[in-house]
């Protein structure tokens, strides 16, 4: 978790209601708009905006507009009995380097559903989503996004700004994190964008990617028509052993 995020949450700045408040939370900004990139809760606010515009919960909007048409039956905010029976336990990396299971569950009846996290899913389900983006917004006859919308997902929305290193303030939840250190990276309206090719023969320039707290990772490479998903259930985020596995997995995928 990056600096600025936990203090905002603790101070009540994280949105907790089904409707957007009439004014912004009374907390100082981490940076003036347009001057820096920071990891934060913007997508959670976007999720609340979706609810306000559609008149539906975010869970309903996602099911009707994305996961339902794509056949992602194992993806949702609420665990069904069938999903719970196959749920992988969260683990934590110990000081000895081993993995230990820990209690961990997203609340099943939250005050609101987060646009930035909280979905349960599987690797095959999420790969269907990645394949939809890779195919220009459609998969198996289901049109999810217009071609021009999908194209916008691969364009930087940051101007001259670049994605910077994520500095953790919660070491139990996340290490400091930077993907492809030294390479320029930007951000579209949905994904981190690699501006250069993988230095060791992996994803090409213009690839879209991001990750989840439990060391879950994906990338979508339009230039080479390839997408990949690697999921674990382990903390802290950016685990060096998992990142090494991700790198080996990616290089192996491109070597096929």
């Amino acid at each position: 978790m990056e600096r600025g995020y936990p203090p905002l949450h603790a101070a009540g700045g994280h949105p907790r209601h089904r409707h957007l408040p009439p004014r912004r939370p009374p907390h100082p900004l981490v940076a003036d708009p347009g001057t820096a990139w920071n990891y934060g809760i913007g997508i959670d606010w976007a999720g609340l905006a979706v609810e306000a515009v559609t008149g539906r919960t975010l869970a309903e909007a996602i099911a009707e507009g994305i996961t339902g048409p794509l056949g992602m039956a194992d993806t949702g905010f609420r665990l069904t009995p069938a999903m719970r029976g196959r749920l992988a336990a969260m683990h934590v990396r110990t000081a000895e380097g081993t993995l230990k299971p820990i209690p961990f569950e997203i609340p099943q009846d939250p005050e609101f559903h987060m646009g930035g996290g909280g979905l349960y899913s599987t690797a095959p389900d999420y790969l269907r989503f990645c394949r939809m983006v890779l195919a220009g917004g459609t998969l198996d006859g289901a049109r999810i996004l217009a071609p021009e919308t999908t194209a916008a997902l691969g364009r930087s929305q940051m101007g001259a700004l670049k994605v910077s290193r994520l500095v953790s303030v919660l070491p139990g939840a996340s290490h400091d994190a930077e993907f492809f250190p030294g390479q320029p990276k930007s951000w579209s309206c949905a994904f981190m964008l690699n501006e250069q090719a993988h230095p060791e023969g992996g994803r090409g320039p213009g690839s879209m990617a991001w990750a989840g707290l439990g060391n879950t990772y994906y990338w979508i490479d339009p230039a080479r028509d390839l997408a990949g998903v690697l999921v674990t259930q382990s903390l802290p985020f950016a685990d060096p052993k998992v990142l090494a596995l991700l790198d080996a997995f990616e290089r192996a995928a491109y070597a096929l």
Side-chain angles (χ1 to χ4, degrees), residues 29-53:
L29 299 175
V30 174
D32 287 330
T35 64
W37 178 88
N38 280 281
Y39 180 83
I41 61 172
I43 302 300
D44 294 327
W45 285 102
L48 288 177
V50 169
E51 292 190 340
V53 169

Side-chain angles (χ1 to χ4, degrees), residues 73-167:
D74 279 330
T75 300
F77 287 106
R78 178 179 286 275
L79 288 166
T80 66
M83 292 166 65
R84 185 175 291 281
R86 293 176 289 127
L87 185 64
M90 183 66 76
H91 292 70
V92 65
R93 182 79 65 185
T94 68
E96 293 74 30
T98 60
L99 291 171
K100 179 180 70 174
I102 59 172
F104 187 96
E105 182 171 307
I106 301 297
Q108 295 293 283
D109 292 297
E111 295 182 51
F112 79 108
H113 289 123
M114 298 182 292
L119 281 173
Y120 288 90
S121 191
T122 63
D125 260 20
Y126 202 76
L127 188 58
R128 289 190 63 79
F129 175 82
C130 294
R131 289 172 57 205
M132 177 273 294
V133 176
L134 193 63
T138 185
L139 184 68
D140 295 341
R143 168 63 66 181
I144 306 300
L145 298 172
E148 56 269 26
T149 302
T150 312
L153 301 181
R155 291 196 296 266
S156 174
Q157 303 293 320
M158 296 178 64
L161 296 176
K162 302 299 178 187
V163 171
S164 55
R165 180 179 179 84
L166 279 72
V167 179

Side-chain angles (χ1 to χ4, degrees), residues 1-2 37 39 163-169 173-181 185 192 210-212 215 217 236-239 243:
M1 308 295 283
E2 199 181 13
W37 178 88
Y39 180 83
V163 171
S164 55
R165 180 179 179 84
L166 279 72
V167 179
S168 175
V169 296
S174 177
H175 296 289
D176 290 356
E178 182 177 7
F179 303 104
F180 306 108
K185 299 166 289 290
M192 183 185 73
W210 198 233
N215 280 287
Y217 302 90
F237 175 68
D239 184 306
L243 291 177

Side-chain angles (χ1 to χ4, degrees), residues 209-233:
W210 198 233
L213 181 65
N215 280 287
T216 58
Y217 302 90
Y218 68 91
W219 80 92
I220 303 165
D221 185 351
R224 300 182 181 176
D225 193 32
L226 194 149
V229 174
L230 175 69
V231 295
T232 77
Q233 290 289 266

Side-chain angles (χ1 to χ4, degrees), residues 234-256:
S234 60
L235 296 172
F237 175 68
D239 184 306
K241 291 187 177 181
V242 180
L243 291 177
L245 176 62
L246 174 65
D247 182 65
F249 170 53
E250 181 174 342
R251 287 187 282 108
Y254 283 95
L256 293 175

